[in-house]
Amino acid sequence: MRYHIQHQTEYQYDFDVTLSQHMLHMTPRHLAWQNTLAHQITISPNPSETSQRLDYFGNSRLYFSIYSPHQTLSVTSESTVEVLPRLLPASLSQSPSWEFVKEELIQHYNTHIEAQAFLFSSPKAGRHHTLANYAAPSFTPGRPLLEAALDLTQRIYQDFEFDDQATSISTPLSDVLAGRRGVCQDFAHLMIACMRSLGLACRYVSGYILTTPPEGQERMIGADASHAWASVYCPDTGWVDFDPTNNCLVQTDHITIAWGRDFSDISPMRGVVLGGGAQQLDVSVTVTPINQY
């Protein structure tokens, strides 16, 4: 599949902003299953300074500063991306047991260095016994890791309702677990924290999903905004992505932008402004297939 992605962010301020500094994670990653064919970010007003580099996790990160007064800030990211089918195990039941993986990550941590950063609590996905208890029905003794992870994906999808008014990015996981409502970021954080609470490595992935599905297929949830899902580490197989918001293994409908421990590592846009007063934020995302083969 090839996609054109347009991600527009606009801030309207009541008064002049005299200084604006921001950091963006809006550039698609180059991966074995994903090629970026074209990409550009347009910022208005024109930045006084820009700098682009890779962060700790290998994501592309763009910094910019605006020193001239402004009451509107607009950022538009446009990309053309080719997404290929991912290589997955023939059967999830052929993966090693989750207990074996847990011990492997402890006993042979030098072999699995990449996974170590995703084993422990992070600001928005902390380990807790209540989360381990929620995950426990999926992670029965001896169950294959990836089979158990898919079962947890399905349970989150069934137990929680998508409600974009129920939470904000500051809502703690304890409230999400109690209220059983939230958005894709909440469900990704929940799955990640559940896995980590069992001693397993899981990371947060941000990106997009297909806005307009093929004829005869249901429209996916969260398609008009940045999307998020979870990626589980399995020795020998590597990272396998699960989308608890849409109850699926991630394949060619998902475009990967960045990954980290949780949302706080890779929010699409964050920054500080001097002045401005109250602000109004408008975000829109459109993902359009341009070729299928």
Side-chain angles (χ1 to χ4, degrees):
M1 292 293 297
R2 289 187 179 182
Y3 299 101
H4 178 262
I5 306 108
Q6 184 178 71
H7 183 168
Q8 295 179 300
T9 304
E10 184 172 284
Y11 284 93
Q12 295 279 352
Y13 302 100
D14 285 350
F15 309 107
D16 277 351
V17 170
T18 56
L19 172 65
S20 180
Q21 295 182 316
H22 292 273
M23 178 176 69
L24 308 179
H25 283 102
M26 293 185 178
T27 303
R29 289 192 69 126
H30 291 279
L31 303 165
W33 62 88
Q34 180 173 289
N35 300 315
T36 302
L37 306 179
H39 175 70
Q40 68 174 10
I41 294 177
T42 305
I43 302 168
S44 179
N46 288 329
S48 306
E49 294 180 354
T50 61
S51 174
Q52 190 157 12
R53 66 191 68 174
L54 298 181
D55 67 12
Y56 174 82
F57 302 105
N59 308 302
S60 179
R61 182 168 59 184
L62 176 67
Y63 297 90
F64 70 88
S65 300
I66 301 173
Y67 301 143
S68 57
H70 55 281
Q71 286 187 246
T72 301
L73 172 61
S74 175
V75 176
T76 301
S77 173
E78 290 196 69
S79 306
T80 301
V81 177
E82 179 184 58
V83 183
L84 306 173
R86 305 190 190 196
L87 295 176
L88 296 173
S91 171
L92 300 186
S93 63
Q94 294 177 0
S95 60
S97 73
W98 69 271
E99 298 100 329
F100 172 84
V101 174
K102 177 180 178 179
E103 288 302 313
E104 177 74 9
L105 291 173
I106 296 171
Q107 299 296 330
H108 302 284
Y109 62 90
N110 284 331
T111 306
H112 309 287
I113 291 294
E114 184 186 6
Q116 298 303 309
F118 306 101
L119 275 171
F120 306 104
S121 291
S122 59
K124 297 186 180 299
R127 303 200 303 182
H128 197 273
H129 66 87
T130 58
L131 297 166
N133 290 340
Y134 177 77
S138 299
F139 289 81
T140 51
R143 192 171 195 183
L145 170 65
L146 297 181
E147 183 182 291
L150 181 59
D151 188 75
L152 178 61
T153 300
Q154 294 168 340
R155 288 179 50 230
I156 292 173
Y157 176 78
Q158 293 163 0
D159 292 349
F160 292 77
E161 183 174 345
F162 187 92
D163 183 350
D164 60 8
Q165 301 300 312
T167 61
S168 70
I169 195 57
S170 61
T171 303
L173 272 181
S174 56
D175 289 359
V176 175
L177 190 60
R180 300 296 172 107
R181 308 172 81 85
V183 294
C184 57
Q185 288 88 352
D186 299 310
F187 305 150
H189 284 148
L190 176 62
M191 181 167 178
I192 290 163
C194 284
M195 301 289 291
R196 292 177 185 170
S197 297
L198 294 172
L200 300 166
C202 196
R203 66 190 181 192
Y204 181 95
V205 188
S206 72
Y208 310 107
I209 57 175
L210 179 60
T211 304
T212 306
E215 186 176 351
Q217 294 186 22
E218 292 186 4
R219 184 175 182 275
M220 285 187 155
I221 298 171
D224 293 325
S226 295
H227 194 49
W229 56 92
S231 187
V232 176
Y233 181 76
C234 181
D236 298 330
T237 300
W239 296 93
V240 180
D241 291 9
F242 298 84
D243 183 352
T245 305
N246 290 291
N247 189 23
C248 65
L249 274 166
V250 170
Q251 270 290 351
T252 56
D253 285 340
H254 293 64
I255 299 101
T256 301
I257 296 295
W259 56 61
R261 296 168 303 161
D262 60 37
F263 176 85
S264 65
D265 284 334
I266 53 170
S267 59
M269 180 172 176
R270 65 191 304 175
V272 294
V273 299
L274 183 61
Q279 66 184 31
Q280 180 178 336
L281 172 63
D282 183 33
V283 178
S284 66
V285 171
T286 303
V287 179
T288 306
I290 58 175
N291 190 29
Q292 185 173 351
Y293 53 90

